[in-house]
Amino acid sequence: MSTVYELAKTEFAPPATVEELRTYLQAALEIEHLTIPVYLTGLYSILPGTNAYGCEVIRGVVLEEMLHLTLAANLLNAVGGTPDLSHVVRSYPARLPFGAPSLPLIKLRHYSPEALKTFMRIELPRSLVPPDPHAPDRTWTSIGQFYGAVRTGLDTLEKAARKQNRTIFTGPAGRQLGPADFYNSGGEVFPVTGLRSALLAVDVISEQGEGSQDTIWDSDDKIFGEERQVAHYFRFKEIHEGRRYGKHDLPRSAPSGPLLDITWEDAYTIDPDAKLADYAGNPELHQRARKFNALYAFMMGVLELTFQGSPALMSEAVPLMLALRDESQRLYRNPHPKADLAAKGVHASPTYELDAKLFAQARAEAAQLAQKHAELAKLPAQTTHSSSPHSSSSHPSSPHSSSAREQPA
């Protein structure tokens, strides 16, 4: 059962105990994961060589969502929890956690105005959520509100613990990931070691998504010393509207900057409700779609072990995402096996389905990879140089091993 959906059924309130805080932070992991297949579908469905700005924006946001996922894991580990990726969304369409029940389901859509509307719905700043006069008191209204509750809980619980000469940050330091483990141009991972770094982690997650202090801008310039960017919601709105924001634009105004070259037709059209079962009548496509899901499950297993004390495995995440790109495009190049959809120009596509058996297999394969990393780490430097974990030979035998290294970035 997904932690985040169970939590969303409860009344709005900050976590009142450390155990509740761990539940909230597990839910945060699940929220950050939910976005990644959605955004990857939009990105990988773009025809190669087209929509350069859209590709750049969505790719950058995906890397920042990976940053958020990692910071959420650092937060959970810091307060003595254990990240568990078996609770993530197992299939799409999916409901948006902490949103109004009337909101449309989150579907896996190809690059299109509808996909960008979905992206914007996920990243909608809490200040732009329309009030619902019929909603009961203490109702969850947005993901931004959820992170506000997490921030309050961290602050309140740690200050209460300090009064008793204790701390809530009791997790093992060895599970924390830092800048040496993961870095991208939209910020870097940092260890969570106390209240200050914990609150900073929440701020990074919130402000990169919805903007800082009710502006269109994130806070990367203040936190990381990097050039500030418009936050995720507003980056997606730029693509949707076909125009950049100007430096004086406000959250409630339309973009007023330069026009963008957006060509919606330059994308593979896919079925947003596709399931693996749809390909049962075409053994070759069915096998390829299953292979994609197995590779996706393997990436999730690798990330879970990364967050549970094997930080060196983070080096495998981006190559695995590139392998997902290659496998997805092999599917996109085929017409949909249902004749009526194929006649409309619909293509086959990944389904991002995870079942218990697939995830258990992925965990076992990820454990083999972790063991290989541990063995390589014990070898002398001159030996490990030629047997780097970045080479395909370092992977355990699995159906995914070679594809993770097929093409460079």
Side-chain angles (χ1 to χ4, degrees):
M1 178 62 70
S2 172
T3 305
V4 68
Y5 289 121
E6 288 301 302
L7 183 58
K9 294 176 184 177
T10 65
E11 289 188 343
F12 162 72
T17 66
V18 173
E19 193 59 41
E20 283 187 8
L21 178 61
R22 291 170 184 156
T23 298
Y24 277 55
L25 293 172
Q26 172 63 36
L29 271 178
E30 295 166 26
I31 290 171
E32 300 308 322
H33 158 267
L34 179 145
T35 68
I36 293 173
V38 180
Y39 298 161
L40 286 180
T41 299
L43 173 63
Y44 293 160
S45 63
I46 296 173
L47 293 176
T50 70
N51 288 290
Y53 184 77
C55 285
E56 178 186 353
V57 166
I58 301 173
R59 184 183 296 112
V61 170
V62 168
L63 288 173
E64 288 181 359
E65 295 298 345
M66 289 289 289
L67 168 66
H68 300 172
L69 183 72
T70 306
L71 288 174
N74 277 358
L75 282 162
L76 181 54
N77 277 319
V79 297
T82 300
D84 184 350
L85 295 186
S86 69
H87 294 288
V88 300
V89 169
R90 294 292 186 93
S91 65
Y92 294 83
R95 287 185 293 109
L96 181 65
F98 305 113
S102 59
L103 287 175
L105 293 175
I106 300 298
K107 297 187 177 186
L108 300 176
R109 297 186 180 275
H110 62 272
Y111 185 72
S112 61
E114 292 76 17
L116 271 296
K117 287 179 182 177
T118 297
F119 299 175
M120 290 161 61
R121 196 177 305 125
I122 292 170
E123 303 285 357
L124 184 66
R126 71 191 99 175
S127 62
L128 298 184
V129 175
D132 182 356
H134 304 295
D137 292 339
R138 308 192 68 77
T139 297
W140 294 103
T141 59
S142 69
I143 293 173
Q145 180 205 36
F146 164 76
Y147 276 113
V150 169
R151 198 181 198 285
T152 298
L154 283 163
D155 187 60
T156 302
L157 291 168
E158 175 62 7
K159 287 178 178 177
R162 287 178 182 176
K163 289 179 180 178
Q164 301 177 26
N165 296 317
R166 295 186 295 106
T167 181
I168 65 172
F169 298 101
T170 58
R175 287 192 175 186
Q176 292 294 313
L177 279 82
D181 303 305
F182 180 82
Y183 172 82
N184 75 86
S185 59
E188 62 183 33
V189 172
F190 51 86
V192 173
T193 56
L195 183 59
R196 185 172 178 274
S197 53
L199 297 180
L200 186 62
V202 175
D203 289 345
V204 169
I205 295 170
S206 298
E207 293 174 6
Q208 284 190 340
E210 63 177 14
S212 173
Q213 298 177 340
D214 201 20
T215 71
I216 65 172
W217 304 100
D218 65 21
S219 52
D220 284 2
D221 56 332
K222 298 175 183 176
I223 296 176
F224 300 112
E226 299 176 354
E227 183 179 357
R228 70 177 183 172
Q229 306 178 76
V230 294
H232 294 180
Y233 172 85
F234 302 101
R235 280 183 241 174
F236 290 146
K237 190 169 183 179
E238 286 182 328
I239 300 173
H240 185 266
E241 301 296 322
R243 186 183 288 273
R244 297 288 300 269
Y245 275 98
K247 64 180 180 180
H248 298 300
D249 286 342
L250 300 173
R252 290 166 181 79
S253 65
S256 66
L259 291 172
L260 292 167
D261 182 20
I262 306 295
T263 54
W264 299 118
E265 66 274 15
D266 288 325
Y268 293 104
T269 301
I270 66 171
D271 176 11
D273 298 309
K275 297 291 184 188
L276 185 63
D278 296 340
Y279 305 135
N282 186 319
E284 183 180 351
L285 275 182
H286 188 269
Q287 181 181 12
R288 188 160 293 285
R290 248 195 98 72
K291 181 180 179 182
F292 180 94
N293 287 341
L295 179 62
Y296 168 54
F298 180 56
M299 184 181 79
M300 298 302 295
V302 167
L303 286 172
E304 183 178 71
L305 280 185
T306 299
F307 300 150
Q308 291 180 357
S310 299
L313 286 180
M314 182 56 86
S315 64
E316 306 291 338
V318 171
L320 284 169
M321 289 174 71
L322 293 177
L324 287 176
R325 176 201 63 189
D326 297 341
E327 289 299 328
S328 66
Q329 291 179 351
R330 291 186 180 101
L331 279 164
Y332 292 142
R333 288 195 287 266
N334 293 276
H336 197 283
K338 292 185 177 179
D340 58 332
L341 292 178
K344 297 176 183 178
V346 177
H347 295 256
S349 60
T351 62
Y352 289 92
E353 291 171 271
L354 289 175
D355 58 40
K357 181 179 179 181
L358 196 60
F359 198 71
Q361 178 184 342
R363 277 177 160 167
E365 292 173 356
Q368 293 178 42
L369 181 58
Q371 179 62 34
K372 183 144 289 193
H373 269 263
E375 291 170 359
L376 289 170
K378 295 176 183 177
L379 296 177
Q382 61 269 26
T383 307
T384 57
H385 180 74
S386 61
S387 303
S388 165
H390 293 276
S391 68
S392 59
S393 62
S394 70
H395 284 267
S397 177
S398 81
H400 335 298
S401 301
S402 61
S403 64
R405 299 287 177 247
E406 283 181 4
Q407 297 185 21

